[in-house]
Amino acid sequence: MSVAFRRESDDEHMEPKFELPIPPGPNLVTARGLRQIAEKLNTLEAAIAAETDEEARKKLQRTARYWGTRQATAILTEAKDCSAVAFGTRVTFRLAGKTRAIAIVGDDEADPAHDRIAFSAPLARAMMEAEVGEKVDFNGREEAVEILSIEPLTDPQDGADS
């Protein structure tokens, strides 16, 4: 039999396990986001210590490596002022006749269901550096978004930000 048809082991035919992808660009975080990363790492470390199944432990360790990298590369960023839309601001705007408010946060703390979008999201990118009263293009439409107000995000431990 030819060497080409010999199977050495089952391991060589398994799907490769890749690291979790890191979002491109800088890892900007708010104080809330930095706390969330630390909490996730603490939870993962406890789960790894308690896990007895080797495959499950490897999966947890891979996730912990992701969050460890995110913690190590985090750049704590706060809005300098609120004269224009920027990272760390809450923006109230009108789009398609509806008024909405969103917080512009880091990739890992984004939660669109709770009006927290990543600074890298298309809507946030379209609004960046716009001032109150300005209309910006979005989704192929000219002047689709009108900026109504801009305010700094406050720390949720103060009870003012969700």
Side-chain angles (χ1 to χ4, degrees):
M1 179 184 270
S2 170
V3 175
F5 295 106
R6 283 191 14 224
R7 188 169 176 176
E8 295 295 324
S9 72
D10 287 337
D11 289 345
E12 68 187 49
H13 299 288
M14 294 177 66
E15 286 290 320
K17 303 284 190 246
F18 299 105
E19 292 299 311
L20 298 174
I22 301 287
N27 183 15
L28 304 181
V29 296
T30 63
R32 176 181 184 268
L34 199 55
R35 277 194 311 277
Q36 285 179 327
I37 291 171
E39 289 167 6
K40 286 180 184 183
L41 270 173
N42 289 336
T43 301
L44 283 164
E45 288 169 359
I48 290 166
E51 187 57 63
T52 57
D53 179 56
E54 188 61 32
E55 282 303 310
R57 184 188 334 255
K58 285 180 182 178
K59 199 173 197 179
L60 289 169
Q61 288 171 332
R62 181 176 71 166
T63 303
R65 283 191 301 274
Y66 171 87
W67 288 109
T69 300
R70 296 306 278 171
Q71 185 177 50
T73 61
I75 302 167
L76 183 60
T77 307
E78 295 181 21
K80 304 288 186 263
D81 64 40
C82 291
S83 61
V85 177
F87 181 90
T89 59
R90 179 172 307 285
V91 183
T92 304
F93 62 97
R94 186 173 296 119
L95 173 63
K98 296 181 182 175
T99 301
R100 187 172 162 205
I102 57 166
I104 300 177
V105 297
D107 290 312
D108 295 318
E109 63 182 306
D111 185 359
H114 292 99
D115 295 325
R116 303 181 74 79
I117 67 168
F119 70 98
S120 58
L123 179 59
R125 287 194 326 252
M127 292 191 296
M128 285 295 183
E129 300 182 18
E131 298 175 352
V132 172
E134 190 173 338
K135 293 182 179 182
V136 297
D137 302 342
F138 177 65
N139 211 16
R141 293 182 25 222
E142 291 184 21
E143 298 185 350
V145 178
E146 179 182 7
I147 308 301
L148 302 175
S149 71
I150 306 165
E151 57 192 48
L153 288 180
T154 54
D155 195 303
Q157 289 184 337
D158 296 336
D161 188 29
S162 56

